[in-house]
Amino acid sequence: MKRSSHRILATHVGSLPRPADLMALYLEQAPPEKLEPKLASAVADVVRQQVEAGIDVVNDGEFGKPMSDAVDYGAWATYVYGRLTGFEMRDLSQKFDILKSLMGGSKDRRDFAEYYATPEAYAGPSSRAIQFPINVGPIRYAGHEIIQRDIRNFKAALAGKSVEDAFMTAVVTGVSILPGEYYKSTEEQGAAVAEAMREEYKAVTDAGLNLQLDDPIIVNVYEWQYSMSGDMAGFRQWAAAHIELVNHALEGIPEDKVRYHLCWGSWKGPHSSDLPLRDVIDFVLKVRANQYSVEAANPQHEHEWRVWKDAKLPEGKAVIPGVVSHKTNVLEHPETIADRIARYADAVGRENVIASTDCGMGGRIHPSIAWAKLRALAQGAALASDRLWGRKTHSA
C-alpha cells in the first residue's frame, strides 16, 4: 500500500454519492442485463470524478453495493445479505423494537431523549419494505460473480487513470445483530460469517487491489451495550474476542494489502458517550492490517491525535485520519484540514499519514457538498504537504 513518501496522499472511506438512475435500478431490482451497463458507466464516472477532485487513493464508490435511497446509512453492511447463504429477509413482530434492540442501552439516547424524538434525528424515509435478515441456515459465501463484476468494473475504470493506489471495501464480521435460528450461539454465527467473507476479501486482494475492512462495530457495541453501565471490563472482554474474530477472517489475506476502518456511526446526534479511542487503540493495532482509518474531524474525536503519540504505531504502518466530516453540511476550510493533518504528522510522522474522510460520504450528505468536501480534502493535503516538506508540491 502506498504511503505519503513525498507528500500527503488523499483518500476517503469508500461510499460516494450514487447517481439517481442507478439507485432507481436497484430499487426496481432490475435484471443484470439492465443494471450492469449503467453500473459500469457509473463506476467509470465516479473514478474520473475522484481523480478530478484530487483524490490519490480511489475506489469504486461502493456502487456495486445496492442503495436505492438518497439517504442510506446501512448500505456498507446490508449488501452482504445478497452475497451470503443462510439469511432470510422477514418482517419482524410488531412487538420487536429494532431501535431498542440496537441501542436500548445507549446513554447518549437516554440523556438526549428529547432530541432523538425530533425529526432532525431521523435518517430519512426509505422506499424499501422494512425487513430484516434472520439467519436460518448455514452461512457460506455465494457472491463470487458479483464481486468479480465489481472488480472488473473498477479495474476498467482505472485503466489510463493516474492514481497512486486503489481499494475496495468489504464489511467485517458480526454484521447480523438479530437473533438467529440455525447456529447454537452468536459466536458460532459470527465465525461462520468470518469464514464466508474471507472469500470476498481474497477476491479483492487476488485482483491486486487493496482491501478496506469496515468495522464500526468495534466501538459502536460499547455505545449500544455498555455505555449505560460504563462496564469497561465487560466491553474489553467482548472486544478481545471480536478482534480475534476479525483476524480469523483475515487469515491468508496479505497484511500489507489491508486497511482497517472504524468509526462511531453516521447518525446525526450528540455522540456524547462515544467510546474514547484510547480505550480501544490497543485492540485496533492488533488487527492484521497495514493502515488504520479513524475519525479525526468529528468534534468528539478531533483531539484524539494525541492518542497516537503514545500508541506506538508499528514500523511500516500508517494512520488514515478523517480530516473532513460526513456528519455536517458545513464545508471544512483547506487550512483547517491542513492543521488536522499536521497534528497527525507530528504524532506519527508525515510519511505515516494519509488524509481521508471520517466515514463514507454517499447516503449521508448532499452530493454537491460531498464532492466539495473531497476537493477541500485534496487542497488541505496539498497545503499540509507544503508545510511538512517545506516546498511547493502542487497547487492548492
Side-chain angles (χ1 to χ4, degrees):
M1 300 177 81
K2 294 290 182 71
R3 297 166 73 199
S4 297
S5 56
H6 303 294
R7 61 182 175 86
I8 297 294
L9 299 179
T11 187
H12 60 94
V13 167
S15 181
L16 293 173
R18 273 71 155 179
D21 51 359
L22 178 62
M23 289 191 290
L25 290 173
Y26 279 128
L27 178 61
E28 69 181 64
Q29 298 184 324
E33 60 270 20
K34 188 175 180 182
L35 170 68
E36 293 186 2
K38 176 59 195 175
L39 178 58
S41 65
V43 171
D45 284 344
V46 81
V47 169
R48 173 186 55 77
Q49 287 177 280
Q50 289 171 78
V51 173
E52 291 175 354
I55 300 302
D56 301 298
V57 184
V58 305
N59 82 329
D60 64 346
E62 299 187 4
F63 283 13
K65 297 173 171 62
M67 192 175 100
S68 57
D69 294 294
V71 177
D72 188 333
Y73 290 175
W76 64 276
T78 55
Y79 83 95
V80 297
Y81 301 114
R83 302 186 189 190
L84 296 176
T85 66
F87 287 95
E88 181 178 285
M89 303 303 290
R90 290 185 187 170
D91 297 321
L92 296 179
S93 164
Q94 290 184 344
K95 296 180 181 179
F96 187 89
D97 186 332
I98 183 64
L99 192 60
K100 186 174 181 180
S101 175
L102 275 172
M103 289 187 163
S106 167
K107 184 176 184 298
D108 190 58
R109 287 176 181 261
R110 183 200 67 183
D111 292 351
F112 294 92
E114 291 182 359
Y115 164 76
Y116 280 110
T118 68
E120 186 180 351
Y122 181 49
S126 173
S127 58
R128 294 168 296 178
I130 304 299
Q131 292 187 313
F132 298 91
I134 305 296
N135 175 234
V136 296
I139 297 171
R140 297 188 180 90
Y141 191 71
H144 303 91
E145 291 185 10
I146 301 174
I147 189 60
Q148 290 302 326
R149 175 204 69 189
D150 291 347
I151 291 168
R152 185 170 59 249
N153 285 341
F154 187 31
K155 295 188 86 168
L158 288 169
K161 300 293 189 302
S162 178
V163 301
E164 291 289 336
D165 221 339
F167 71 99
M168 294 184 73
T169 63
V171 70
V172 79
T173 62
V175 293
S176 178
I177 44 74
L178 297 177
E181 299 175 354
Y182 181 79
Y183 293 97
K184 295 178 182 177
S185 66
T186 55
E187 291 78 13
E188 188 178 339
Q189 181 176 319
V193 173
E195 288 161 11
M197 289 304 296
R198 187 186 299 133
E199 296 190 42
E200 180 161 295
Y201 309 160
K202 188 173 187 300
V204 172
T205 57
D206 282 354
L209 300 165
N210 296 319
L211 170 72
Q212 177 178 293
L213 207 59
D214 290 330
D215 187 19
I217 294 167
I218 183 65
V219 289
N220 284 343
V221 160
Y222 176 83
E223 174 64 31
W224 299 342
Q225 299 180 16
Y226 297 94
S227 64
M228 291 284 282
S229 66
D231 180 9
M232 188 59 66
F235 167 75
R236 286 183 61 80
Q237 183 177 4
W238 172 87
H242 177 73
I243 293 302
E244 283 186 17
L245 193 57
V246 171
N247 282 331
H248 178 60
L250 288 170
E251 283 180 6
I253 307 301
E255 186 171 309
D256 63 356
K257 300 290 289 181
V258 178
R259 53 193 249 182
Y260 176 75
H261 169 68
L262 64 90
C263 69
W264 282 261
S266 296
W267 73 90
K268 292 177 172 61
H271 287 262
S272 62
S273 49
D274 279 3
L275 178 73
L277 180 63
R278 67 174 179 272
D279 290 329
V280 77
I281 188 68
D282 55 331
F283 290 123
V284 169
L285 292 176
K286 289 178 181 177
V287 175
R288 294 171 183 159
N290 183 260
Q291 299 177 357
Y292 302 96
S293 164
V294 296
E295 291 194 47
N298 177 343
Q300 282 287 341
H301 300 280
E302 185 173 358
H303 66 286
E304 291 180 329
W305 61 273
R306 295 181 180 88
V307 173
W308 293 95
K309 282 181 169 286
D310 301 319
K312 306 302 180 188
L313 182 70
E315 183 70 27
K317 298 197 175 187
V319 182
I320 310 177
V323 288
V324 299
S325 176
H326 63 303
K327 288 189 175 76
T328 174
N329 289 321
V330 176
L331 179 62
E332 292 85 352
H333 193 283
E335 291 281 4
T336 298
I337 293 168
D339 288 345
R340 290 170 174 167
I341 293 169
R343 288 194 286 266
Y344 270 82
D346 179 63
V348 300
R350 63 189 183 183
E351 70 280 2
N352 300 323
V353 178
I354 297 172
S356 185
T357 59
D358 272 349
C359 194
M361 294 291 186
R364 281 79 184 268
I365 56 176
H366 192 276
S368 63
I369 297 174
W371 285 107
K373 283 176 177 273
L374 290 178
R375 290 190 294 271
L377 169 62
Q379 292 164 6
L383 290 173
S385 298
D386 294 346
R387 297 184 199 173
L388 295 169
W389 274 265
R391 54 183 167 80
K392 194 71 173 176
T393 53
H394 57 282
S395 174

